[in-house]
Amino acid sequence: MKTKKIAVLFSSNGSNLEAIIKKLHNKRFNGTKIKISLLICNNKNAFGIVRARKYGLETTIISHEDFTCRQEFDKVLVEKIKSANVDLVVLAGFMRILTPVFCDNVRAINLHPSILPLFKGANAIKESFQSDMQIGGVSVHWVSSELDSGKIIAQRSFKRKNRDFKAWEKKIHAIEHKILPKTIIKLLCK
């Protein structure tokens, strides 16, 4: 049986990280075991660190504030990821704009809370809710050096109905917790 190793990068709450841990870590799919072998967070106060510890996983903290530029931060990320010899890097709420130093050297996917190419960036949930769009949704895409513009791997949408902002956000997170693990399985366990 082969094992595929992943690294998960996150910045805050870690609900998508926990979904990945619960659904994938040390589990087998089509004869392939998926193992989370590296967790990186850029925020020492992120609740995701507590979530990971609950499952016996420790997080490496690499604070972007310790670096004078994005490229230096990305270089250290790449070195850490390369040393872990992972098959795939998963950005699960990693709130950093990454440079080509990262994007050109790491095979990574990103989870984004909108139907791309619409509503790129950090305020996608709010912007999609405030738009006239009659659907919302989630995208998983390959990471590229252009923000939220890599090739789309998977998308799921839902109808607006009469959702208020809180219900809109809750629906997006529910879809995220399903689509990201399914996409990882699809990519690693063919």
Side-chain angles (χ1 to χ4, degrees), residues 169-181:
E169 188 174 40
K170 185 176 179 182
K171 182 67 175 176
I172 285 174
H173 292 316
I175 293 171
E176 287 178 333
H177 297 166
K178 292 178 183 170
I179 195 172
L180 187 56

Side-chain angles (χ1 to χ4, degrees), residues 24-47:
L24 303 183
H25 183 56
N26 286 330
K27 296 196 169 61
R28 291 167 181 77
F29 305 90
N30 300 324
T32 300
K33 178 179 168 183
I34 295 177
K35 178 180 179 174
I36 298 172
S37 59
L38 178 64
L39 296 177
I40 297 176
C41 184
N42 63 312
N43 172 8
K44 68 178 192 241
N45 299 313
F47 186 67

Side-chain angles (χ1 to χ4, degrees), residues 99-106 145:
T99 69
V101 170
F102 181 94
C103 301
D104 295 347
N105 291 291
V106 173
S145 55

Side-chain angles (χ1 to χ4, degrees), residues 61-118:
I61 309 296
I62 304 174
S63 175
H64 59 278
E65 294 174 349
D66 294 340
F67 299 88
T68 57
C69 68
R70 291 183 188 278
Q71 291 82 357
E72 286 179 18
F73 173 71
D74 287 2
K75 182 175 185 252
V76 171
L77 281 181
V78 169
E79 288 169 358
K80 189 69 176 170
I81 291 165
K82 294 274 188 190
S83 71
N85 196 30
V86 298
D87 298 287
L88 182 67
V89 176
V90 179
L91 307 184
F94 190 61
M95 304 306 290
R96 298 295 304 153
I97 295 173
L98 298 162
T99 69
V101 170
F102 181 94
C103 301
D104 295 347
N105 291 291
V106 173
R107 182 177 184 240
I109 63 173
N110 182 48
L111 178 67
H112 187 74
S114 79
I115 296 295
L116 290 172
L118 301 174

Side-chain angles (χ1 to χ4, degrees), residues 4-17:
K4 295 286 187 173
K5 299 190 297 184
I6 64 172
V8 182
L9 281 58
F10 64 98
S11 293
S12 59
N13 187 37
S15 66
N16 282 298
L17 165 64

